[in-house]
Amino acid sequence: MGFAPPTGRFVSWTGTAIFRFNHQGLSDARWQEWDGLDVMQQMGVIPAPPGGNGKLPEPVPPHVVGGRYTSPIENKAIVRRFLDEVWNKGNLAIADEIFHPKATSPSAPQLPTGAEGVKFLANMFRNAMPDYHIEIIDLLADGQQVLVRFTQTGTHQGELMGIPATGKKATWGEIGILRFAGGQVVESWYNVDMLGLMQQLGVGSAS
């Protein structure tokens, strides 16, 4: 992709895609997010964070027996409320209601479990981008899982992951899958266009 010459390094990454099928049974559209930032870091194009070279073991989600059953329609409403209240409005305490205390996210195994990891991320982005906002594009549910595709926007006015404020406005995408059990989220996976965000902030460029 013009980022680097061959490095001889083995790389691995994750991605999430949504395929749409037409009446002829053929896919006529696809939306995808992939961990491009991690690929660039594994190839040595972008510096990896200190201690970030080793892969952490995948966390084990809590085993929940019983509890309140929530339907796919209820789960979609919960995810919509989560994104609006916690991320858009900054009501972080709502995350304590929605996430099981031991909920895991294999996408970010370094974060605390449960609502604490969620609140850490939301607080970080909202502090760095006071006008941060999420807009939901797709919200799908099947059984106890919800898939959500959304865009994020914000103006970089404070330090973000070690990057000083640039004053630049960015728009980037994300796809998440959240699994419910006993009425709460117990496990979630995310693919974020972090590479696109970094490029818009000018990280690694002369701008």
Side-chain angles (χ1 to χ4, degrees), residues 23 36 50-51 55 76 83 99 123 128 131 142 160 170 207:
H23 294 299
K55 293 291 184 182
K76 287 171 62 175
L83 294 176
F99 286 80
N123 196 50
D131 60 344
D142 184 26
L160 177 66
S207 59

Side-chain angles (χ1 to χ4, degrees), residues 104-178:
T104 61
S105 180
S107 312
Q110 77 279 10
L111 292 178
T113 59
E116 293 309 310
V118 174
K119 291 189 285 188
F120 172 82
L121 288 177
N123 196 50
M124 178 179 68
F125 274 93
R126 288 182 52 80
N127 284 340
M129 298 177 167
D131 60 344
Y132 176 92
H133 184 76
I134 278 178
E135 181 179 353
I136 296 174
I137 301 173
D138 289 309
L139 189 59
L140 311 170
D142 184 26
Q144 289 292 280
Q145 292 187 329
V146 175
L147 182 147
V148 57
R149 179 170 71 98
F150 54 91
T151 57
Q152 303 161 88
T153 58
T155 306
H156 185 206
Q157 298 179 349
E159 183 270 334
L160 177 66
M161 296 181 289
I163 306 167
T166 63
K168 296 182 177 180
K169 190 173 183 68
T171 301
W172 68 103
E174 182 168 351
I175 297 177
I177 301 173
L178 299 89

Side-chain angles (χ1 to χ4, degrees), residues 4-138:
T7 63
R9 297 181 181 182
F10 176 82
V11 299
S12 63
W13 65 95
T14 62
T16 310
I18 302 173
F19 292 83
R20 187 182 70 188
F21 290 83
N22 60 25
H23 294 299
Q24 286 74 43
L26 301 175
S27 176
D28 61 6
R30 183 185 72 179
W31 299 268
Q32 179 173 302
E33 299 293 351
W34 66 294
D35 193 2
L37 179 64
D38 191 37
V39 171
M40 298 300 109
Q41 290 174 332
Q42 292 179 61
M43 292 195 302
V45 177
I46 298 175
N53 294 327
K55 293 291 184 182
L56 295 174
E58 186 166 308
V60 179
H63 179 63
V64 178
V65 179
R68 187 172 74 89
Y69 168 79
T70 48
S71 70
I73 292 176
E74 288 179 286
N75 293 337
K76 287 171 62 175
I78 292 171
V79 170
R80 186 180 294 277
R81 177 176 179 239
F82 159 57
L83 294 176
D84 187 47
E85 290 288 341
V86 176
W87 285 90
N88 284 341
K89 298 178 181 177
N91 296 330
L92 303 187
I94 299 296
D96 293 307
E97 301 176 26
I98 294 174
F99 286 80
H100 187 283
K102 296 188 180 298
T104 61
S105 180
S107 312
Q110 77 279 10
L111 292 178
T113 59
E116 293 309 310
V118 174
K119 291 189 285 188
F120 172 82
L121 288 177
N123 196 50
M124 178 179 68
F125 274 93
R126 288 182 52 80
N127 284 340
M129 298 177 167
D131 60 344
Y132 176 92
H133 184 76
I134 278 178
E135 181 179 353
I136 296 174
I137 301 173
D138 289 309

